[in-house]
């Protein structure tokens, strides 16, 4: 009879036990014992070297839609001239548009506005840490970006304000549809990003539960080796294909680790 080393036997037993737990783990968050479900989930993840606080695990059933987005920029020439000033002479070299040493640069679907000096706007006057997000929204509107369905947050870097704008579908963020504005009291330093806006909104369905997403992450070969600490898990969307417009959205759970790295589980 063929003999197997004890390490192989123990490893096989460990795999069988974990697969059994994953297949039978209660993932419903609508039961009265949802707190117990969360605590059991946290305990199971801890045993697999994944640490997460129970407070960031959403117990509610979430809805997602089969939405599509349309690229905001349909005519690059017109877009560049609008940003640089329609009355100014605009030259084009490859994907770079220039007027008075100010530039609009395209890289795939990403675009950047790089002014030679800060652009003084009434919207940048009196900017501070309290009103930066509000002023960032006004600047986006000034340049023609629809920020009505956008989530806007700001950060202060010693008087240089970074305004981060993310498109949302029914209050859920589209993670890879974003713009960043850099502003000081001297004016707009520039902006860059990708911007798609809503084209259609389909039927809603229940999203994959956060418990299922975390269990799938724990079994993923793509996760880091060693101990893992999860700092956030958020439901949202990713744009499926930037090269087509309109493009479909994929519902995802975004798992953010303590080191800032992000992983996406289809929802």
């Amino acid at each position: 009879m063929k003999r197997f080393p004890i390490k192989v036997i123990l490893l096989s037993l460990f795999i069988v036990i974990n697969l059994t737990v994953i297949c039978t783990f209660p993932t419903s968050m609508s039961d009265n014992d949802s707190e117990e479900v969360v605590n059991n989930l946290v305990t199971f993840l801890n045993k697999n070297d994944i640490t997460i606080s129970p407070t960031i695990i959403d117990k509610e059933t979430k809805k997602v839609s089969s939405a599509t987005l349309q690229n905001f920029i349909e005519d690059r020439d017109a877009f560049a001239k609008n940003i640089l000033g329609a009355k100014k002479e605009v030259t084009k070299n490859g994907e770079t548009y220039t007027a008075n040493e100010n530039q609009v640069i395209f890289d795939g679907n990403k675009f950047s506005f790089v002014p030679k000096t800060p652009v003084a706007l009434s919207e940048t006057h009196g900017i501070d840490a309290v009103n930066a997000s509000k002023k960032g929204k006004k600047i986006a509107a000034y340049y023609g970006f629809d920020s009505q369905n956008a989530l806007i947050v700001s950060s202060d870097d010693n008087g240089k304000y970074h305004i981060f704008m993310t498109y949302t579908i029914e209050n859920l963020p589209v993670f890879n549809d974003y713009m960043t504005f850099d502003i000081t009291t001297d004016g707009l330093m520039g902006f860059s990003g990708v911007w798609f806006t809503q084209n259609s909104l389909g039927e809603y369905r229940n999203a994959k539960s956060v418990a299922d997403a975390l269990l799938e992450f724990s079994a993923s070969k793509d996760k880091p080796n060693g101990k893992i600490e999860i700092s956030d898990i958020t439901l949202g969307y990713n744009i499926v294909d930037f090269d087509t417009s309109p493009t479909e959205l994929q519902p995802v759970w975004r798992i953010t680790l303590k080191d800032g790295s992000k992983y996406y589980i289809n929802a």
Side-chain angles (χ1 to χ4, degrees), residues 50 60 74-75 78 95 157 164 200-201 232 250 255:
I50 300 175
E60 297 181 3
E74 296 182 352
D75 185 334
E95 294 300 314
D157 182 12
F164 190 76
S200 68
L201 191 62
D232 180 70
Q250 172 63 54
I255 297 174

Side-chain angles (χ1 to χ4, degrees), residues 58-109:
D58 200 324
K59 305 176 188 65
E60 297 181 3
T61 300
K62 297 293 185 179
K63 298 283 188 179
V64 290
S65 171
S66 55
T68 63
L69 294 184
Q70 183 80 30
N71 195 335
F72 172 77
I73 303 173
E74 296 182 352
D75 185 334
R76 292 189 173 188
D77 289 352
F79 172 80
K81 289 178 180 179
N82 178 61
I83 300 300
L84 295 171
K87 295 181 180 180
K88 297 177 181 178
E89 182 179 351
V90 177
T91 60
K92 181 182 178 183
N93 182 14
E95 294 300 314
T96 299
Y97 296 77
T98 306
N100 292 352
E101 299 186 68
N102 300 321
Q103 293 184 324
V104 170
I105 304 169
F106 289 96
D107 180 11
N109 279 293

Side-chain angles (χ1 to χ4, degrees), residues 31-257:
D31 298 333
N32 293 329
D33 60 348
S34 59
E35 290 294 336
E36 183 179 355
V37 171
V38 169
N39 291 333
N40 289 340
L41 174 63
V42 170
T43 299
F44 171 76
L45 293 173
N46 282 339
K47 290 180 179 179
N48 287 273
D49 292 329
I50 300 175
T51 302
I52 184 172
S53 170
T55 59
I56 67 172
I57 299 178
D58 200 324
K59 305 176 188 65
E60 297 181 3
T61 300
K62 297 293 185 179
K63 298 283 188 179
V64 290
S65 171
S66 55
T68 63
L69 294 184
Q70 183 80 30
N71 195 335
F72 172 77
I73 303 173
E74 296 182 352
D75 185 334
R76 292 189 173 188
D77 289 352
F79 172 80
K81 289 178 180 179
N82 178 61
I83 300 300
L84 295 171
K87 295 181 180 180
K88 297 177 181 178
E89 182 179 351
V90 177
T91 60
K92 181 182 178 183
N93 182 14
E95 294 300 314
T96 299
Y97 296 77
T98 306
N100 292 352
E101 299 186 68
N102 300 321
Q103 293 184 324
V104 170
I105 304 169
F106 289 96
D107 180 11
N109 279 293
K110 184 177 180 179
F111 53 85
S112 303
F113 173 46
V114 185
K116 179 183 178 182
T117 58
V119 181
L121 301 170
S122 60
E123 289 82 358
T124 64
H125 179 71
I127 189 170
D128 57 33
V130 176
N131 63 26
S133 294
K134 184 177 181 180
K135 285 184 173 290
K137 190 168 187 174
K138 289 183 177 180
I139 291 171
Y142 174 83
Y143 283 102
F145 299 102
D146 179 11
S147 59
Q148 181 178 357
N149 295 319
L151 173 66
I152 300 181
V153 296
S154 62
S155 61
D156 180 2
D157 182 12
N158 295 321
K160 182 177 181 180
Y161 300 94
H162 304 285
I163 317 297
F164 190 76
M165 185 169 80
T166 306
Y167 198 79
T168 65
I169 299 290
E170 297 295 314
N171 297 319
L172 293 179
V174 182
F175 296 121
N176 49 357
D177 192 14
Y178 68 93
M179 288 185 62
T180 303
F181 297 84
D182 293 326
I183 307 169
T184 69
T185 53
D186 293 328
L188 175 68
M189 306 289 289
F191 58 76
S192 64
V194 176
W195 201 242
F196 284 64
T197 56
Q198 187 170 313
N199 180 66
S200 68
L201 191 62
E203 294 183 359
Y204 279 86
R205 63 169 175 82
N206 289 342
K208 178 183 295 181
S209 73
V210 65
D212 280 335
L214 288 168
L215 289 172
E216 188 173 329
F217 173 74
S218 72
S220 172
K221 295 180 180 179
D222 296 329
K223 73 177 187 299
N225 295 322
K227 293 186 179 297
I228 298 171
E229 183 173 349
I230 297 175
S231 61
D232 180 70
I233 179 165
T234 302
L235 182 64
Y237 297 91
N238 274 338
I239 294 175
V240 173
D241 187 355
F242 283 99
D243 294 329
T244 62
S245 183
T247 181
E248 295 181 359
L249 293 179
Q250 172 63 54
V252 293
W253 284 101
R254 184 184 68 183
I255 297 174
T256 304
L257 306 188

